[in-house]
Amino acid sequence: MVSSSHEAMHRIFQKDPGVFGRTFRRLGIEFPEPVGTALLPTDLTELEPLERRVDTLLRMEAADGADYLVAFESQSARKADKPANWCYYAAHLHAKYRLPVQLVVTCQDEATARWASGPFKVGLDVWPLITMRPLVLGPHNVPVVTSEADAVRDVPFAVFSALTHAKDPCIADILERLAAGLKAVDEETATFFTEFTELGLGKFPAADIWRQLMSIPLSYFRSETSMKLRAEGREEGREEGREEGQAKARREDVLRILDRRGIEVPDPARERIAATTDLAELDVWFDRALVVGNAEDMFVAERRPERSEGP
């Protein structure tokens, strides 16, 4: 299962696409300022039964009509096959949308970030056909937010910066500034990014520091802390009862997220969710409910493309 920290490192750009441009502006790279964005399908599957998916794909809409695509990949370790996949993503997206494509790789580990920077070459050394050089954001180049005022000024960037530096020895100080900043913004923003940060810190020790700093309310967006609190309240029941209680709570979470996002849930999808008792499967649907464009897309990865029979 994809980890929450992996998801957070690219979903931050779904929440606020402007973090992309503002981050690179701090690094001296100016991208055209978009006047709008559109979250596009991340499924790059071909007709053959082979699925290829980027983590997040955005279309940046420029005022002069010179739109472009930004594909985000969250990378936690070196993987030998990734550069070839990245080349495929870029070529496929350019061919499909006929727009300039930029690949951004986000990392929480400096060694992985420096590896991901490439360059990666496809072809012979005497004449490389493709040279892949992703833009990489990691602990080596993403600035640390140094004050509460800076955190309040740009909360999404402050969260992204904190997640990127999750392994930093000074992470406690970084999280303290973020916590202070979140307490100074409106309740809805603070609630969302409080739990988003916890999920993004995943299993890192920094997650425990964050839980000590913040009082996490039991809201529709359930973090690990919230789920543990709900589970503890059912300790008097039998094991089967606890598992069913957790599954029931997760089903409610999935439907609540879709409702909060304004996603209509047709009766067949609602019945399928209501009938599911597999907590692991519900966890997958919970993650997808945060980003899908319609309820049916929560189940799309479970479908297996069919081969055409031919004439």
Side-chain angles (χ1 to χ4, degrees):
M1 184 185 300
V2 176
S3 67
S4 59
S5 59
H6 174 280
E7 293 297 285
M9 286 295 284
H10 66 86
R11 283 184 182 169
I12 188 73
F13 298 98
Q14 297 179 15
K15 178 63 177 177
D16 184 353
V19 172
F20 161 71
R22 298 198 300 273
T23 300
F24 281 104
R25 195 171 302 121
R26 288 172 164 88
L27 302 177
I29 303 176
E30 291 284 345
F31 280 90
E33 187 68 25
V35 295
T37 60
L39 184 64
L40 302 179
T42 59
D43 188 354
L44 306 183
T45 307
E46 298 177 350
L47 292 178
E48 293 297 319
L50 174 64
E51 290 190 357
R52 300 181 189 270
R53 294 177 183 271
V54 294
D55 287 331
T56 285
L57 179 62
L58 295 176
R59 176 171 180 155
M60 300 295 191
E61 301 170 358
D64 60 0
D67 297 1
Y68 59 99
L69 304 178
V70 184
F72 294 90
E73 283 278 284
S74 176
Q75 195 68 26
S76 58
R78 294 179 58 150
K79 290 188 177 179
D81 61 342
K82 270 297 180 179
N85 289 341
W86 291 339
C87 289
Y88 173 87
Y89 296 163
H92 177 88
L93 290 170
H94 178 72
K96 181 176 181 178
Y97 293 98
R98 297 299 179 182
L99 292 172
V101 180
Q102 182 60 62
L103 173 67
V104 176
V105 181
T106 61
C107 305
Q108 293 171 294
D109 175 81
E110 182 171 348
T112 302
R114 294 193 181 280
W115 163 79
S117 298
F120 304 104
K121 297 181 179 180
V122 176
L124 299 175
D125 290 340
V126 295
W127 193 279
L129 179 64
I130 299 174
T131 299
M132 169 62 67
R133 297 183 61 200
L135 280 172
V136 177
L137 296 174
H140 66 301
N141 65 353
V142 172
V144 173
V145 173
T146 58
S147 71
E148 175 186 339
D150 286 341
V152 174
R153 192 173 298 113
D154 193 342
V155 171
F157 174 77
V159 171
F160 177 65
S161 175
L163 298 182
T164 302
H165 292 276
K167 298 181 180 180
D168 192 295
C170 298
I171 187 60
D173 293 335
I174 295 171
L175 292 177
E176 284 180 8
R177 289 189 288 269
L178 175 59
L182 286 177
K183 290 176 182 178
V185 300
D186 65 273
E187 183 178 354
E188 182 177 358
T189 298
T191 299
F192 179 88
F193 282 110
T194 292
E195 296 213 4
F196 188 98
T197 300
E198 181 181 347
L199 290 169
L201 293 173
K203 301 298 182 181
F204 294 133
D208 292 329
I209 299 174
W210 183 248
R211 294 182 189 112
Q212 294 171 12
L213 287 171
M214 303 299 291
S215 176
I216 308 295
L218 293 176
S219 64
Y220 82 98
F221 187 69
R222 304 297 185 200
S223 65
E224 182 179 349
T225 297
S226 300
M227 291 299 292
K228 283 182 178 179
L229 288 174
R230 294 182 69 162
E232 288 170 1
R234 293 187 288 268
E235 280 299 321
E236 296 180 358
R238 295 183 304 164
E239 181 65 25
E240 295 84 356
R242 286 200 302 271
E243 292 179 358
E244 171 55 29
Q246 289 177 343
K248 181 176 183 294
R250 211 49 161 173
R251 290 194 295 268
E252 293 172 355
D253 292 339
V254 171
L255 292 172
R256 190 176 293 112
I257 289 173
L258 294 172
D259 179 67
R260 184 71 174 261
R261 294 184 60 227
I263 302 296
E264 182 179 355
V265 183
D267 288 342
R270 188 177 297 274
E271 291 170 2
R272 181 171 181 178
I273 294 170
T276 302
T277 59
D278 187 331
L279 189 57
E281 185 174 47
L282 288 166
D283 283 340
V284 172
W285 293 352
F286 173 85
D287 288 338
R288 293 175 185 162
L290 298 169
V291 296
V292 293
N294 59 72
E296 289 83 355
D297 282 351
M298 286 196 308
F299 317 120
V300 70
E302 299 167 16
R303 301 171 187 159
R304 295 291 182 267
E306 298 180 357
R307 292 181 179 273
S308 58
E309 296 297 331

